[in-house]
Amino acid sequence: MASSSSATGGGGGGIGYRTSGVGNRGSMKQTTANFKSLSLKSRHQNQNQQPPVVRRSSSLNVAAPKDDVDGRVRVAVRLRPRNAEELVADADYADCVELQPEVKRLKLRKNNWDSDTYEFDEVFTDFASQKRVYEVVAKPVVESVLDGYNGTVMAYGQTGTGKTYTLGQLGDEDSSDRGIMVRAMEDILANISPETDFVSVSYLQIYMETIQDLLDPSNDNIPIVEDPKTGDVSVPGATVWEIREQSGFLELLQLGEAHRFAANTKLNTESSRSHAILMVQVRRSVIGGEASSSEDDNHNHLGRSCDPPLVRRGKLVVVDLAGSERVQKSGSEGHTLEEAKSINLSLSSLGKCINAVAENSPHVPVRDSKLTRLLKDSFGGSARTSLIVTIGPSPTHRGETTSTILFGQRAMKVENMLKIKEEFDYKSLSRKLEIQLDKVIIENERRQKAFDDEIKRITLEAQHHISDVERKFAIELEKERTKCQMEYLDSIKKLEEKWMVNQQDHHSNGFTSGPCSREGKTVSDFEELVKVEKLLENEINLRKTAEQEVNYLKAQMVMLTSTGAGGNIELLQLHKMLEDETMEKRKLQEEVSTLQGQLLQLTFEADQMRRYLDKVGLQNGFSNGHSHWENGHSPSFNSLYEQVGLHRILSMLESQDANVRIHAVKVLANLAAEEANQEKIVAAGGLSSLLMLLRSYEDETVRRVAAGALANLAMNEVNQELIVAEGGISLLAVTAEDAEDPQTLRMVAGAIANLCGNDKLQSKLRSEGGIRALLGMVRCRHPDVLAQIARGIANFAKCESRAAAQGMKSGKSLLIEDGAMPWIVQNANSEASPIRRHIELALCHLAQHEVNVRDMIAGGALWELVRISRDCSREDIRNLARRTLSSSPTFQAELRRLRIEV
């Protein structure tokens, strides 16, 4: 195919690729500099040549635009100045249109005395700047796209009227000539964050009813895919480029324009033979700016720390339609004629669809062409749409101008239902949590490595220490052995010397002495020999002892060496065995204590049964009583209460025997579980005795059972006031602070929860530390304890809501002032149904008082109320949440701001 320059120079109708952008489209840029003076001159000449006649103007053909309809298609009209050919050919004729921009009207002259008037959303004269056209037509659509809506900007008009100049002008030579595509991308890139947001573009053309990729010419037959669930239309086969900076986007536009089909016709030297469609996908994360505020504090940080970021996805579609043309005027023939037929057919299908949507027809023929299928969301869908129709002033083309104006008038009747597209970015949250997990793993590995290094260092130090000890021990042992040997040799040497002296004396005196002297000498020698033998024997024993000590020290050294190698492991094993033995002993002791208590209780019950049977036996005989026992009708606690007496049971509470005391408080707790016995227990001083047990005894079992008995008594409103009057709230608060056993905490929490249901005790519970004690027990994390805490909070919130409705309370909730809101929000969606149900009720009751709403919104409770109104399993709670949200003006304003529907 020939290039665009050869096609233009030859004057024929051949088709060619454009290589120089859109600078010469429709002669718009050629006449911009001198259009004003030429236009005024032409009009002045026409007025001088024509006789003055009285012109009449018909009434407005179309009603005023509905400015109050947010989703209506906005239509603007733009007049192109006369080009060089029109200045010569139509020099003696006035323009066929007269603009009234101040009232946004256009007059289309039928003849010298009659004209039709049309009203548009905006009217641009032939000297309107590209910047003003963008700000009026396209900028509101771009802002909507940044807010998460779909938007469409489309240009329609006769060929050569400046559509491509308005939309796709790059502004290489003069930046003020930049078109809507370039300016829109500038605004988008200026309003996004490169770190969190994403912008991508695709550039297509519809040529001869085939969708082709302008960024990849080899991709020349792209199918349209429609989502069967939502009906959304997409072209997944198109090339998608991520945009980071404006220069890259301009290069893509130049590449796309170079691949777009164009031809030389009589009406336009570079007539577009295809519909160009620019698709811009914008993905914005709003968690950093709009979803968070400076009022957030530590109370709602725990509730929102794992909330996923909110992502808004908008799509901007800029459509440069091929110009409509009449074959007689354009001179199209051959392949150019086939192109003109395809263009006119698709534009006709578009007009039919717009007429059907404007007239609310049950059938809209969107499948008649590829163009109408791609623009399904722009007319009658959910996109914000702006249409600019371009016209020329020449009276020669009055018919085409009329058709273009009527097209715009019909489009103004179309109303779209705008719909924001936002979703939670769970992938981003997952990546964030994965990064945090990686950091934790790295930190754990670092600590593990440091621990291993420390163990290795300690092991090396121990080995060095053992080596030093062994070396010192070997040196000392060698010294001791050498010393023993030297002493032994010295003693032998002395004995030999003494023996030699004795021998010499014997030889010198042996022949001169008489018999008596010889006998005396023999006796003395014998004695000396005995002494020597004893000394030798002693030396031998000493040597054996020394050898034994050496062997013993060697054995110790061997044992020390083996112990040093495995000492740490043996110590750890011994330590673990000792701990296991201790745990086992503790368990056995607990079992023994339990069995002792059970034995005492059975002994007590057997004793009472024996007494009861004795009395029955005295009246009815032993046989009847025995059969009564065998039938299994053992007396209940009420029978024991009647037979033994309440005062006897209360006196056992003061017993010195711990087992008797525990048994007595258990019997009293079981009696208090029945409402019929509660009044008698209180009248007999049982309440005071139970409070005394909480105050005086530190035994965990006594405190647990006593707290359970108080919880049973606290179910009665009269008993509740007596408990408070005798300082029960303070005692329960102290018990809650000291206790660690989950069962004891459950009993204490149950007692405080029952007190929270009394309207008269609200201030007492706050002042005496009951609410703080209830919230402090969350440290236990046992589900039974948390369920009692949630019940207490729900009872307290219900009483506050009732007092506020009756006008008895006007301030903020005491629960919120004591810092309960973070825990409430954190456990509102607990897996345990009792906890979740009570927390949901508490949130609904707190939200009924308008003074609490601001703190609840700041604490993240609004999201939980919305979830309760949608997903709660109980219908009564779900309805209560809906009524609460709908009745609060503050909640309604926040829901509208977040675009949440309940």
Side-chain angles (χ1 to χ4, degrees):
M1 294 184 181
S3 65
S4 59
S5 58
S6 61
T8 303
I15 303 171
Y17 286 109
R18 287 176 292 176
T19 59
S20 58
V22 294
N24 296 325
R25 295 294 309 280
S27 300
M28 175 69 81
K29 187 173 180 181
Q30 295 175 356
T31 57
T32 302
N34 60 353
F35 68 89
K36 186 173 182 180
S37 60
L38 294 175
S39 178
L40 293 175
K41 180 179 179 181
S42 175
R43 292 174 185 173
H44 182 69
Q45 291 176 353
N46 292 336
Q47 290 176 0
N48 292 337
Q49 293 175 1
Q50 295 179 0
V53 294
V54 178
R55 297 184 179 181
R56 64 181 181 87
S57 176
S58 62
S59 60
L60 293 179
N61 294 38
V62 181
K66 300 178 182 179
D67 292 333
D68 56 336
V69 180
D70 187 51
R72 183 178 62 80
V73 175
R74 304 289 170 170
V75 181
V77 61
R78 187 180 192 185
L79 177 64
R80 172 183 61 77
R82 290 193 178 191
N83 55 30
E85 295 178 1
E86 292 172 347
L87 289 174
V88 176
D90 300 330
D92 298 331
Y93 299 94
D95 293 346
C96 66
V97 292
E98 179 183 352
L99 304 183
Q100 298 176 340
E102 62 277 3
V103 292
K104 301 179 181 180
R105 291 178 183 173
L106 177 149
K107 287 186 177 181
L108 179 63
R109 294 188 179 93
K110 295 181 179 178
N111 46 48
N112 291 337
W113 57 86
D114 192 10
S115 64
D116 292 330
T117 303
Y118 302 90
E119 188 168 342
F120 291 90
D121 293 302
E122 189 62 46
V123 174
F124 297 106
T125 60
D126 47 3
F127 51 84
S129 67
Q130 290 279 73
K131 179 180 180 181
R132 171 164 168 75
V133 172
Y134 168 75
E135 291 179 347
V136 173
V137 175
K139 190 168 185 178
V141 178
V142 174
E143 292 173 349
S144 297
V145 171
L146 291 171
D147 288 338
Y149 296 89
N150 288 345
T152 302
V153 179
M154 186 169 63
Y156 178 90
Q158 183 187 7
T159 182
T161 54
K163 297 183 297 301
T164 304
Y165 175 84
T166 301
L167 295 182
Q169 182 70 13
L170 299 181
D172 293 334
E173 300 176 1
D174 188 354
S175 61
S176 62
D177 288 341
R178 301 190 314 279
I180 288 176
M181 291 181 181
V182 179
R183 294 177 185 269
M185 184 56 67
E186 289 176 353
D187 276 358
I188 291 173
L189 294 177
N191 286 278
I192 65 170
S193 174
E195 292 78 13
T196 59
D197 301 338
F198 178 84
V199 179
S200 63
V201 299
S202 298
Y203 202 9
L204 311 173
Q205 69 175 352
I206 301 178
Y207 175 74
M208 299 291 289
E209 278 304 297
T210 60
I211 300 178
Q212 302 178 4
D213 197 338
L214 290 175
L215 304 180
D216 183 10
S218 62
N219 193 6
D220 58 357
N221 190 10
I222 303 175
I224 298 176
V225 177
E226 185 172 353
D227 191 342
K229 295 182 179 179
T230 62
D232 294 337
V233 175
S234 61
V235 280
T239 303
V240 178
W241 285 85
E242 181 181 359
I243 302 300
R244 290 290 183 180
E245 53 188 7
Q246 185 71 9
S247 59
F249 175 69
L250 293 177
E251 292 176 1
L252 291 178
L253 284 184
Q254 291 175 351
L255 177 64
E257 286 297 325
H259 293 150
R260 190 177 176 187
F261 285 103
N264 183 8
T265 66
K266 293 180 180 180
L267 298 178
N268 190 358
T269 58
E270 278 193 43
S271 175
S272 298
R273 314 312 290 171
S274 65
H275 307 297
I277 302 174
L278 176 69
M279 294 184 178
V280 182
Q281 302 282 350
V282 180
R283 177 184 177 274
R284 293 186 66 204
S285 177
V286 297
I287 189 172
E290 301 166 16
S292 62
S293 65
S294 60
E295 298 178 357
D296 292 344
D297 52 15
N298 293 333
H299 291 290
N300 63 1
H301 176 69
L302 292 177
R304 290 191 178 187
S305 61
C306 288
D307 285 349
L310 190 65
V311 173
R312 292 177 178 171
R313 301 178 184 272
K315 181 174 71 173
L316 175 64
V317 180
V318 183
V319 184
D320 181 11
L321 295 174
S324 60
E325 61 183 56
R326 294 186 179 181
V327 178
Q328 297 89 339
K329 294 183 178 181
S330 65
S332 299
E333 57 184 10
H335 189 72
T336 307
L337 178 61
E338 297 299 324
E339 292 174 341
K341 291 179 181 179
S342 177
I343 292 171
N344 291 336
L345 183 61
S346 61
L347 293 177
S348 175
S349 300
L350 179 61
K352 291 178 182 178
C353 290
I354 291 177
N355 289 338
V357 174
E359 295 171 3
N360 293 324
S361 175
H363 173 66
V364 179
V366 294
R367 292 186 174 274
D368 287 356
S369 70
K370 297 288 182 64
L371 177 64
T372 53
R373 288 189 67 186
L374 287 178
L375 298 180
K376 177 183 177 182
D377 193 44
S378 303
F379 295 94
S382 60
R384 183 185 296 276
T385 302
S386 289
L387 171 66
I388 181 167
V389 294
T390 57
I391 59 176
S394 175
T396 306
H397 306 296
R398 181 182 288 110
E400 289 82 356
T401 302
T402 303
S403 175
T404 302
I405 292 173
L406 293 177
F407 181 91
Q409 290 288 298
R410 288 192 298 269
M412 290 176 65
K413 299 179 181 179
V414 176
E415 296 180 7
N416 295 339
M417 299 295 292
L418 304 186
K419 180 181 179 182
I420 192 171
K421 294 186 177 181
E422 59 184 15
E423 61 188 8
F424 291 111
D425 191 3
Y426 292 102
K427 293 183 179 179
S428 177
L429 178 63
S430 175
R431 289 194 297 270
K432 180 180 177 182
L433 293 178
E434 287 177 356
I435 293 173
Q436 294 179 357
L437 179 61
D438 291 339
K439 291 181 179 178
V440 171
I441 292 174
I442 292 173
E443 179 65 18
N444 185 35
E445 291 177 350
R446 186 187 65 79
R447 293 183 178 181
Q448 184 64 34
K449 185 177 183 301
F451 178 77
D452 294 339
D453 293 342
E454 185 68 16
I455 293 295
K456 188 180 295 183
R457 184 185 65 80
I458 294 173
T459 303
L460 290 175
E461 289 181 355
Q463 291 177 353
H464 292 160
H465 181 69
I466 292 172
S467 300
D468 292 340
V469 171
E470 290 177 348
R471 182 175 53 80
K472 292 179 180 179
F473 180 77
I475 293 173
E476 293 295 328
L477 182 62
E478 185 65 24
K479 288 181 180 180
E480 188 68 24
R481 187 177 64 81
T482 304
K483 180 180 178 182
C484 292
Q485 290 178 353
M486 294 300 295
E487 290 178 354
Y488 176 74
L489 293 175
D490 290 340
S491 62
I492 294 296
K493 185 177 181 180
K494 289 179 180 180
L495 289 174
E496 289 179 351
E497 290 177 354
K498 190 177 290 187
W499 183 78
M500 291 295 296
V501 171
N502 290 332
Q503 285 289 83
Q504 291 176 1
D505 292 340
H506 176 71
H507 285 292
S508 61
N509 299 324
F511 299 100
T512 58
S513 299
C516 293
S517 61
R518 186 178 297 133
E519 290 177 0
K521 188 67 175 177
T522 304
V523 172
S524 62
D525 290 341
F526 180 76
E527 291 176 355
E528 188 69 22
L529 183 61
V530 172
K531 291 180 180 179
V532 172
E533 288 178 354
K534 288 182 178 180
L535 289 173
L536 287 173
E537 186 176 358
N538 291 334
E539 290 296 332
I540 292 170
N541 291 333
L542 288 174
R543 183 174 180 179
K544 289 181 179 180
T545 304
E547 290 178 353
Q548 290 177 356
E549 289 180 358
V550 170
N551 293 331
Y552 176 72
L553 291 176
K554 287 183 177 180
Q556 279 190 339
M557 183 178 69
V558 173
M559 291 179 61
L560 182 61
T561 304
S562 60
T563 304
N568 292 333
I569 297 175
E570 291 180 358
L571 285 175
L572 292 175
Q573 291 177 351
L574 289 174
H575 185 66
K576 187 175 184 305
M577 291 174 61
L578 184 59
E579 289 181 350
D580 293 341
E581 291 293 335
T582 305
M583 291 296 295
E584 188 68 23
K585 183 178 179 181
R586 187 180 297 115
K587 290 180 181 179
L588 291 174
Q589 289 176 350
E590 292 177 356
E591 291 178 0
V592 169
S593 301
T594 303
L595 292 174
Q596 287 178 350
Q598 292 177 356
L599 178 61
L600 180 63
Q601 183 174 356
L602 292 174
T603 304
F604 178 77
E605 292 178 357
D607 183 56
Q608 300 303 323
M609 178 60 67
R610 192 179 302 110
R611 295 179 184 177
Y612 178 76
L613 290 176
D614 289 343
K615 292 182 179 181
V616 174
L618 291 175
Q619 297 175 1
N620 301 328
F622 177 78
S623 60
N624 292 336
H626 189 266
S627 64
H628 177 76
W629 173 263
E630 290 180 347
N631 290 335
H633 300 289
S634 61
S636 63
F637 282 103
N638 289 330
S639 299
L640 290 175
Y641 159 66
E642 294 173 358
Q643 297 297 326
V644 177
L646 183 59
H647 290 284
R648 175 70 181 279
I649 296 174
L650 294 178
S651 65
M652 294 173 67
L653 294 176
E654 301 177 0
S655 173
Q656 297 298 323
D657 191 344
N659 293 327
V660 175
R661 190 166 58 247
I662 292 172
H663 175 67
V665 74
K666 287 182 178 180
V667 172
L668 188 60
N670 287 323
L671 290 174
E674 299 185 12
E675 187 175 358
N677 300 330
Q678 293 179 359
E679 184 176 357
K680 298 177 183 179
I681 293 174
V682 174
L687 178 60
S688 301
S689 299
L690 291 172
L691 294 174
M692 180 270 296
L693 290 176
L694 283 182
R695 186 181 295 110
S696 304
Y697 291 97
E698 296 182 357
D699 185 85
E700 191 70 29
T701 304
V702 173
R703 292 199 299 180
R704 178 173 69 250
V705 181
L710 284 175
N712 291 335
L713 292 176
M715 291 187 292
N716 183 282
E717 185 174 353
V718 177
N719 296 340
Q720 292 173 355
E721 297 178 359
L722 292 175
I723 292 172
V724 174
E726 295 190 22
I729 296 177
S730 300
L731 287 175
L732 290 171
V734 172
T735 306
E737 184 177 358
D738 296 339
E740 295 295 337
D741 180 55
Q743 298 304 321
T744 304
L745 292 176
R746 180 173 68 89
M747 298 298 180
V748 174
I752 297 178
N754 290 336
L755 295 177
C756 288
N758 193 324
D759 296 340
K760 303 175 184 178
L761 306 179
Q762 300 286 299
S763 58
K764 283 280 187 181
L765 284 167
R766 170 78 184 288
S767 61
E768 296 184 12
I771 298 301
R772 289 191 179 89
L774 190 67
L775 296 176
M777 284 185 282
V778 301
R779 69 182 187 276
C780 179
R781 299 183 180 275
H782 194 279
D784 293 340
V785 179
L786 297 181
Q788 294 298 327
I789 295 172
R791 183 170 69 87
I793 291 175
N795 290 342
F796 198 91
K798 183 177 181 181
C799 292
E800 283 191 330
S801 176
R802 188 161 51 233
Q806 296 173 357
M808 299 172 60
K809 177 178 175 58
S810 59
K812 190 185 299 183
S813 171
L814 300 179
L815 292 172
I816 296 178
E817 291 182 355
D818 282 350
M821 184 55 64
W823 186 84
I824 293 175
V825 173
Q826 185 178 4
N827 291 271
N829 199 15
S830 174
E831 295 181 357
S833 59
I835 301 175
R836 184 176 64 254
R837 183 177 70 252
H838 290 309
I839 292 299
E840 290 173 348
L841 281 173
L843 283 174
C844 293
H845 289 309
L846 287 173
Q848 289 180 350
H849 196 21
E850 187 68 20
V851 74
N852 299 330
V853 172
R854 293 287 183 188
D855 293 284
M856 295 184 70
I857 293 175
L862 175 59
W863 299 100
E864 296 301 332
L865 285 171
V866 172
R867 180 192 61 76
I868 294 169
S869 67
R870 295 175 178 175
D871 303 332
C872 183
S873 58
R874 286 184 50 175
E875 185 177 0
D876 56 340
I877 300 178
R878 191 166 61 248
N879 294 334
L880 179 60
R882 290 175 181 170
R883 289 197 304 270
T884 301
L885 289 174
S886 60
S887 62
S888 170
T890 308
F891 275 141
Q892 286 295 311
E894 186 67 13
L895 290 172
R896 286 194 298 271
R897 187 182 74 83
L898 297 174
R899 295 182 175 90
I900 298 176
E901 297 181 359
V902 180

